[in-house]
Amino acid sequence: MALNELTYPEGDRKKKKRVGRGIGSGRGKTCGRGHKGKKARGGGSVALGFEGGQTPFWRRMPKRGFTKPNAKPLETLGLNKIENYIAMGRLDPVGTGPNGTITMKDLLDADVLNNIKHGVKLVASDKIGGQWKLEGGRGYKFAYPVNLEVSRVSKQAAEAVEKAGGSVVAAHYNRLNLRTLLKPHKFESGMMPRRARPPPKMREYYTQFENRGYLSLEIQLQQQLKKVGVDNIDVTK
């Protein structure tokens, strides 16, 4: 075979459609568009879903459900992802918060999360990047004694962190307070806004210890004991 004998495989190139070349071609006169009408004009086409004027299918179907207008979805974060980032050395187990707490800013700076809009919810495992590490058939086994502060935490995640010798606190941050936490350089020195209280609907959640709420008496007592160097006392008894 020579270079001048090379050609495209059969069916690789499609011939150009030639219209208006007489009735014998099959595409003469109206060029296959028919007589008049919207689709016979230049650039004319029917919108997707249009059914000639009758009620289209998508309007004949009933509505189901709704989209919550004031929804504030939280970023879901699994303990397995935190464990992996600490093992890789990308997340420091001693955070920048009080008593070495890993805050949401530490998670964002370490690229554990790409974006935090309303907050973070900590769960035992998000089933991403590996299998569940189960101990005795139940409960996630966490490997590092770290202190965490997030917006919300599941019961299984809280038990796993505390079993490893760490602690977790669920704290409320509104949009402005979250911005001051994540991007303090955006505010002038000494002009930080005060921490906002949770709204009445969320107040009950953050005052209960089973949710590890930062307004619960047990969590506040635990934080005061850590300030004086006492962190091995069970405040629930």
Side-chain angles (χ1 to χ4, degrees):
M1 177 180 287
L3 289 175
N4 63 329
E5 294 176 348
L6 293 177
T7 182
Y8 294 106
E10 185 179 355
D12 186 64
R13 291 293 186 270
K14 188 177 180 180
K15 291 184 178 180
K16 182 180 178 181
K17 181 180 178 181
R18 299 179 77 242
V19 296
R21 297 298 186 270
I23 59 176
S25 67
R27 300 189 188 91
K29 191 184 176 185
T30 56
C31 306
R33 289 175 175 248
H35 290 279
K36 300 182 181 179
K38 184 174 184 180
K39 292 196 289 185
R41 318 299 182 190
S45 62
V46 180
L48 182 66
F50 183 70
E51 299 181 11
Q54 74 176 17
T55 304
F57 176 79
W58 62 271
R59 289 186 59 189
R60 294 198 299 268
M61 293 296 99
K63 295 181 180 180
R64 287 184 63 88
F66 70 100
T67 301
K68 194 174 181 180
N70 57 345
K72 296 180 180 179
L74 302 177
E75 304 293 331
T76 303
L77 177 62
L79 287 177
N80 59 334
K81 192 170 184 179
I82 295 178
E83 192 173 9
N84 291 338
Y85 271 68
I86 294 177
M88 290 186 293
R90 298 179 62 179
L91 178 63
D92 191 351
V94 180
T96 60
N99 301 317
T101 302
I102 298 177
T103 63
M104 289 183 279
K105 185 180 188 312
D106 298 322
L107 299 174
L108 191 65
D109 293 343
D111 287 334
V112 180
L113 295 170
N114 297 327
N115 184 36
I116 300 177
K117 188 173 182 180
H118 297 288
V120 178
K121 180 176 181 179
L122 187 67
V123 296
S125 177
D126 52 13
K127 300 182 182 178
I128 297 175
Q131 299 180 349
W132 290 52
K133 293 174 61 179
L134 300 178
E135 182 181 22
R138 55 183 178 179
Y140 184 85
K141 184 180 178 182
F142 191 61
Y144 298 97
V146 296
N147 300 323
L148 295 164
E149 184 189 71
V150 289
S151 301
R152 298 210 172 193
V153 58
S154 69
K155 183 178 179 181
Q156 191 178 17
E159 292 176 353
V161 173
E162 292 169 355
K163 200 169 185 179
S167 64
V168 58
V169 176
H172 170 72
Y173 286 89
N174 61 9
R175 291 298 299 273
L176 181 59
N177 294 143
L178 192 60
R179 182 178 171 84
T180 59
L181 175 67
L182 302 178
K183 300 178 181 179
H185 60 278
K186 296 283 187 179
F187 298 84
E188 296 181 6
S189 179
M191 298 294 291
M192 291 287 187
R194 295 178 60 185
R195 182 80 172 270
R197 296 178 181 177
K201 289 184 178 180
M202 298 182 181
R203 198 167 297 164
E204 183 179 357
Y205 179 89
Y206 290 106
T207 54
Q208 295 181 1
F209 177 72
E210 61 182 11
N211 302 325
R212 303 310 187 268
Y214 72 116
L215 296 179
S216 64
L217 296 177
E218 293 86 351
I219 293 295
Q220 291 183 1
L221 177 60
Q222 191 179 67
Q223 291 175 346
Q224 292 297 326
L225 291 174
K226 284 185 178 181
K227 289 182 180 180
V228 297
V230 180
D231 56 356
N232 56 357
I233 297 178
D234 188 2
V235 295
T236 59
K237 294 182 179 180

